[in-house]
Each structure stands twice: as structure tokens, then as C-alpha cells.
Amino acid sequence: MPRKMWSVLREKMTWCTGDTLCTYAKRKVPVFSWATTYKLAWLPQDALAGFTVGLTAIPQGIAYGIVAGLSPEYGLYASFMASFIYIILGSCENITIGPTAIMATMVQPLVANYGPDIAVLLAFLKGCIIAALGVLHLGFLLNFISLPVIVGFTAAASINIAASQFNPLLGIPVRSEDLVDALQKVFKNLDKIRYQDTVLSIGTVVVLVALKNLPGRRTGTWQQKIAWAVTLARNALVVIVGTTIAYIFYANGQEPFRLTGTMGEGLPPFGPPPFSITHKNHTYDFVETVSAMGTTLFSIPVVSTIEHMAIAKAFAMGKSLDATQEMFALGLCNIFGSFVRSMPVTGSFTRTAVNHASSVKTTFGGLFTGCLVLLAAGLLTSTFRFIPKATLAGVIVCAMYYMLDFKTYLMLWHAKKVDFFLMVITLLFCVFLKLEWGIIIGIGLNLLLLLIFSARPSVKTAIEQGGDETLIRVTPEETITFPAAETFRAKIMKLSEENPYNVVLDCKNLKRIDVTVAKNLKLLSNDLRLRGQTIACVNCSSNVEAVLKTVAPDL
């Protein structure tokens, strides 16, 4: 090997094994970046935040497991593994990953038809898709999903999830999937309403609202500190109180409330996800199972990533966010979670807000959250059977109400009516059709609007005196691309017919043009020349000038 080539190779090897490799490892495994500088003074704050999030994760996990049509313990299984994996791979200390209401709602129809195994396999496949998108740096595709579509989808999901709890709120022993189905079943079963469950659920909601608005502060007086702690742990408190009340009645031979019922005992088995599933004496192989997932296999990774990234951006607190790393972390959380029977998981807004309010310092807080959930899953499953369904329904309804972002709705209305109506259309299709189809229709309409605006660019025209000559000055106010090429040419032709003057195309706002636009300008020049008129391009950038010289050198 020539000496020069060997020298270059040795330099490359040194580069790969030096500081650059260390920096790359820290970026891909963020635990390396903070573990070496971790301060013991941070440990109490991480522990406090972790336990506080755990007190929220346990009741929510049980509730979301029920929303998904699974046994309640599946919500706990989904809550601990993601917490452990995110400690290592997560880049935002505030984020907590676990089961969410939206994920549960999207999984529920599949679980109803194919059993719990399909939810576990979906978590694995979803994780593989998201991790692959992260590795391939394809996160930019999410930029094509606008804020109005995301807001409309989130609002619709909140409405459907809250509506699915109308029956347990009233003690009616039937399940419902969405707003229309819930209302129909309520009116068909008015005779089955139980006043005990209704009173308990209303009381739960009232207490949750009251506790949320307590005037507490983490750094105030001891009364304010207690109020702050109660506010953060309010979900756990109402579930504990509801469970205690139900157990007291049970010990006295009464059961006035509909209870959660028996849960799976102990910790989940560790093993690969089921690549074939058996449900109602029918076995589905891997291909059949994937086919049964339909559009959900693609919509749930998209929705999960959108939900996670929106939360990550909201709680990044001004720090730069590595979207690729977050997608990779989310994907692996789902993949590893599927080995402990987890349903699909993503970032949770409620628990992330609790984590942030608890002043967490690093992702190490997830260790305490995961351990608390593991402890609950291993030791307290016999206690969870006494949790009233009305209490869990109240917790879910309250959480869904606070997901409705009325300030953003008002902002969209005042800022741009088109965006507001796009949000409303997305919301309506999600509510009355399906969440997956609703967001697909919303994205499609959004892209259609983008194409319409791209094909109808804003152009300023003026008749002005240029020395001894009267000219038509045409100034595009934005970049012209190929969808607008023919419309742009036709507009100038019409203007030149009405005003028989030479045309000046002011390109000061054009950063670039494509070959289609340049070709149309050449045709326009030929047409004008036949009528005794000319067109001249002025104030061209280097990019525009390069394309014009190649395609239309006469301009």
C-alpha cells in the first residue's frame, strides 16, 4: 500500500476512535452524556419526580388498559419497561413514556376482534417502524402534518375517549367505542343506570377538579408544599379513596359499585412478542395478523410519533431537540416493551407535565417510576380488583377535558379561518368516522390546500413609466414552482393583451425556479414577440439566472 494512502487511512482511524466517536456515542446513547456529570444533589429530586409520576402512572395505566379492551394489568406492563429504556436512550429529561388514551383507543378495535396478543405484536412492529424512520432520518416527513390537523385529531381523540367512559360513569355494563356509539348505548340502557356509580363518578370528577386548582407551590410554605404534592398525586389519591370505599362495602357483604375485577397475578412473562396469535379457537399466522391490522399498522406509528414529538418540543424548555434520537428511543421503548406484554406506548402529556412540575433533573427519574409500577404489578394486583370502574372513568374524563386546548382553537379562528376549518373538518371525520381515517383525510386536505396555494401564487402587477417607455412590471411575491407555471404564463399573456406594452419580470423575490417555469417563460417570450412585445427578467438571483441561461437564454 502506498505510503500516502496508508497515512490517510491511519488518520481516518484516529478520527473514528477519538473525540468524534465519543461525541457520537453520547448523542446516540444520551445516558453517557449526563451519567459522568451526575450530582448526588440531583438524586432526591429525580426520586421525588419518579415516585410522583409513578403514582399517576399506576391508575392511568390501569384505566388505559381497560380503554384498550385489555385486562387492567396490561396498562401496568406498558408503564415500566419504557421508563427503563428511556433512561438510557432519551434526550429530554421531562418526557415519560407509557400507555396513553389515544394509543389505547386506536388499539381497542383490534383487541376486540383478535385478542390481547395483537396489541403486543403491534407494539413490536410499531417500534420497528419508528426506530427505522429514526435511523433513516425520515422524521422530516412529520413536518407535512400541520398544527390544525394535529389539534383536530387530538381534540377528536379526547372526545371519543371521554365518550367511551359515559357507560362506566353511569354504571351501565356495556362497552362503547366512540361518541355516537356511546350516546346510542346510554339512551338504550337508561333503565340500567346505577345511582351509586353515578354519584361516585361525579364526586371523583369534582374532587379532581378541586385538587387541580389548589393554590400550592413547590417552594412555598409547608401548607403550599402539601397542596402542591396533593395536586400532583390527585389521580392516585382519588383511586385510593374509591378503592377503600369499595373494599369497606365489600367487607360488609355489599358491592354497590361495578369493580375492575380480577387482574393477572404477578409480573409479566419475559419473551418475544407473539408472531402468530390464537383467538376464539382460530390461529392467525404472521401474514394474516399483519393484514388484520390494516391501516392501523401505519397510522399508529405516525400518530404515536406526532404525539411524542409534540410533547418533547413543548417540554424541551429552549434546548435543542434531536428528533432522530427521540424517534429511535421511542421505537426501542416499544420493541423492548413488547417482550413484557406491553401495549403500544408513546410520550404522555399528563405524566410529562407532572415530571416537569416535580423538577426532575435527568431521565434517571424513570428508574423510580418503573420500580414503583413493577412493585404495584407484582404485589398489589389483588387490591386493584376493588377499584371502582366509575372512579377510573372519572380520572379518564378529567384527563381528556384538560387535553382540549381551547386557547389554540381560539388562536386558529382569529389567525386564519382556513386553518380553523381544517381543524374542524379533521375533528369531525375523526369523531364520526375513525381516528385513522380522520387524520388521513386531514393530511390529504392539508396537502391539497398546499398544492392550491402553490398553483395560485401571489403576483403583483403595475403599469409604470420607465424612461420614455411605458412598461408592465410583474413582481411575483413568492417563489414560482411548476404547478403554477401555466397559470403564471396565462396571467401575463392576458395582462399584455389588455395593455400592449413590453413586460418586465422582477425576480427579486424568486430564490429559485424549476425547468418547467423557465420553459413556460420561454414560450411566453415567443408569444409576446409575435405580438411585437418583449419580456425582460431583472434582479435575478444566481440560481434563477443559471436556470434561465440554460433553458431560455434569450430572456
Side-chain angles (χ1 to χ4, degrees):
M1 181 182 290
R3 183 176 298 177
K4 185 175 180 181
M5 188 179 294
W6 173 253
S7 177
V8 171
L9 181 60
R10 186 170 55 185
E11 183 181 340
K12 293 291 184 184
M13 292 175 66
T14 303
W15 177 82
C16 290
T17 56
D19 293 339
T20 304
L21 185 60
C22 183
T23 302
Y24 180 80
K26 287 181 178 180
R27 190 169 71 248
K28 291 302 177 186
V29 188
V31 67
F32 292 152
S33 65
W34 59 261
T36 55
T37 59
Y38 193 84
K39 300 176 182 178
L40 285 178
W42 294 350
L43 185 61
Q45 288 176 279
D46 281 345
L48 173 64
F51 283 126
T52 306
V53 171
L55 290 174
T56 304
I58 292 170
Q60 282 194 345
I62 294 170
Y64 296 152
I66 294 172
V67 169
L70 299 163
S71 297
E73 68 270 15
Y74 278 85
L76 297 179
Y77 298 164
S79 299
F80 70 86
M81 181 59 80
S83 297
F84 295 149
I85 299 300
Y86 196 76
I87 295 171
I88 301 169
L89 298 174
S91 62
C92 181
E93 68 273 9
N94 291 307
I95 288 284
T96 61
I97 297 180
T100 66
I102 293 176
M103 291 293 99
T105 302
M106 296 182 75
V107 165
Q108 193 273 332
L110 291 175
V111 173
N113 292 323
Y114 300 99
D117 281 352
I118 198 168
V120 178
L121 179 59
L122 183 58
F124 176 80
L125 296 177
K126 167 197 164 186
C128 291
I129 292 171
I130 295 175
L133 291 174
V135 169
L136 296 174
H137 295 269
L138 295 178
F140 73 92
L141 294 174
L142 297 176
N143 295 334
F144 288 94
I145 305 174
S146 67
L147 176 65
V149 173
I150 295 172
V151 171
F153 171 82
T154 305
S158 301
I159 291 169
N160 276 346
I161 294 163
S164 71
Q165 300 304 305
F166 287 171
N167 293 309
L169 280 172
L170 301 173
I172 299 173
V174 292
R175 291 187 60 86
S176 53
E177 296 181 9
D178 52 41
L179 179 62
V180 176
D181 185 42
L183 292 176
Q184 287 176 343
K185 287 180 177 176
V186 167
F187 284 108
K188 286 180 181 178
N189 296 277
L190 291 175
D191 57 321
K192 297 179 181 178
I193 293 177
R194 294 162 55 97
Y195 76 89
Q196 300 98 322
D197 291 282
T198 305
V199 170
L200 181 61
S201 61
I202 293 174
T204 299
V205 172
V206 170
V207 171
L208 283 171
V209 172
L211 292 180
K212 181 177 174 60
N213 292 288
L214 285 177
R217 290 195 318 176
R218 188 176 66 86
T219 57
T221 63
W222 66 269
Q223 294 96 332
Q224 290 174 323
K225 290 179 180 178
I226 292 175
W228 172 79
V230 169
T231 299
L232 292 180
R234 63 187 182 279
N235 288 331
L237 291 175
V238 295
V239 170
I240 291 170
V241 171
T243 305
T244 303
I245 294 171
Y247 182 77
I248 291 171
F249 278 110
Y250 176 81
N252 287 278
Q254 301 178 54
E255 196 169 306
F257 312 118
R258 296 194 182 279
L259 305 179
T260 300
T262 305
M263 293 178 60
E265 294 291 335
L267 301 177
F270 185 85
F275 291 101
S276 64
I277 62 175
T278 301
H279 183 62
K280 294 182 178 178
N281 298 321
H282 188 285
T283 299
Y284 302 85
D285 62 26
F286 180 73
V287 175
E288 290 176 319
T289 306
V290 171
S291 299
M293 292 177 184
T295 58
T296 304
L297 179 59
F298 302 101
S299 61
I300 205 165
V302 172
V303 171
S304 175
T305 308
I306 291 170
E307 188 177 3
H308 180 82
M309 294 308 300
I311 294 168
K313 289 178 182 177
F315 287 91
M317 301 302 156
K319 299 178 183 177
S320 61
L321 183 68
D322 188 343
T324 298
Q325 179 61 28
E326 281 300 309
M327 290 178 69
F328 183 67
L330 178 60
L332 288 190
C333 283
N334 280 274
I335 292 172
F336 279 94
S338 67
F339 282 74
V340 290
R341 306 288 295 170
S342 168
M343 59 190 279
V345 296
T346 189
S348 164
F349 187 86
T350 303
R351 296 190 293 277
T352 298
V354 170
N355 207 23
H356 172 66
S358 303
S359 299
V360 70
K361 290 297 182 182
T362 66
T363 55
F364 192 58
L367 176 68
F368 302 94
T369 300
C371 289
L372 188 60
V373 174
L374 269 177
L375 185 66
L379 303 178
L380 301 177
T381 48
S382 59
T383 304
F384 291 150
R385 70 175 294 269
F386 294 105
I387 299 175
K389 289 186 176 181
T391 300
L392 291 177
V395 169
I396 295 171
V397 168
C398 253
M400 294 307 100
Y401 173 77
Y402 289 115
M403 281 183 66
L404 297 175
D405 193 350
F406 295 103
K407 289 183 179 179
T408 300
Y409 310 151
L410 195 62
M411 180 269 291
L412 289 173
W413 172 258
H414 288 301
K416 195 170 185 180
K417 299 296 190 292
V418 171
D419 285 344
F420 177 81
F421 286 115
L422 178 62
M423 179 205 73
V424 171
I425 291 170
T426 304
L427 186 153
L428 292 176
F429 275 108
C430 285
V431 168
F432 294 105
L433 193 57
K434 272 182 79 174
L435 287 175
E436 300 97 305
W437 287 111
I439 195 168
I440 290 171
I441 290 170
I443 293 170
L445 287 174
N446 208 166
L447 294 176
L448 180 61
L449 287 173
L450 193 62
L451 287 174
I452 290 173
F453 290 139
S454 178
R456 298 288 186 273
S458 177
V459 178
K460 182 180 178 181
T461 61
I463 308 297
E464 60 183 43
Q465 196 69 28
D468 298 330
E469 184 182 7
T470 303
L471 300 170
I472 302 172
R473 180 173 288 272
V474 179
T475 308
E477 296 185 344
E478 53 192 295
T479 296
I480 306 293
T481 53
F482 67 91
E486 186 58 39
T487 303
F488 183 58
R489 184 173 79 93
K491 185 170 185 175
I492 297 177
M493 282 294 295
K494 183 178 180 181
L495 188 63
S496 62
E497 287 176 4
E498 298 170 353
N499 305 276
Y501 309 124
N502 292 330
V503 179
V504 173
L505 178 59
D506 191 343
C507 301
K508 63 182 181 181
N509 296 326
L510 297 183
K511 305 301 181 186
R512 65 187 64 85
I513 60 171
D514 52 47
V515 172
T516 306
V517 175
K519 186 71 173 175
N520 273 265
L521 288 176
K522 182 178 181 180
L523 294 174
L524 174 62
S525 176
N526 294 337
D527 292 339
L528 289 174
R529 190 177 297 113
L530 292 174
R531 298 213 309 247
Q533 297 169 276
T534 61
I535 181 171
C537 296
V538 299
N539 299 325
C540 296
S541 68
S542 58
N543 291 331
V544 173
E545 191 171 354
V547 176
L548 288 176
K549 279 184 177 181
T550 303
V551 180
D554 297 334
L555 290 178

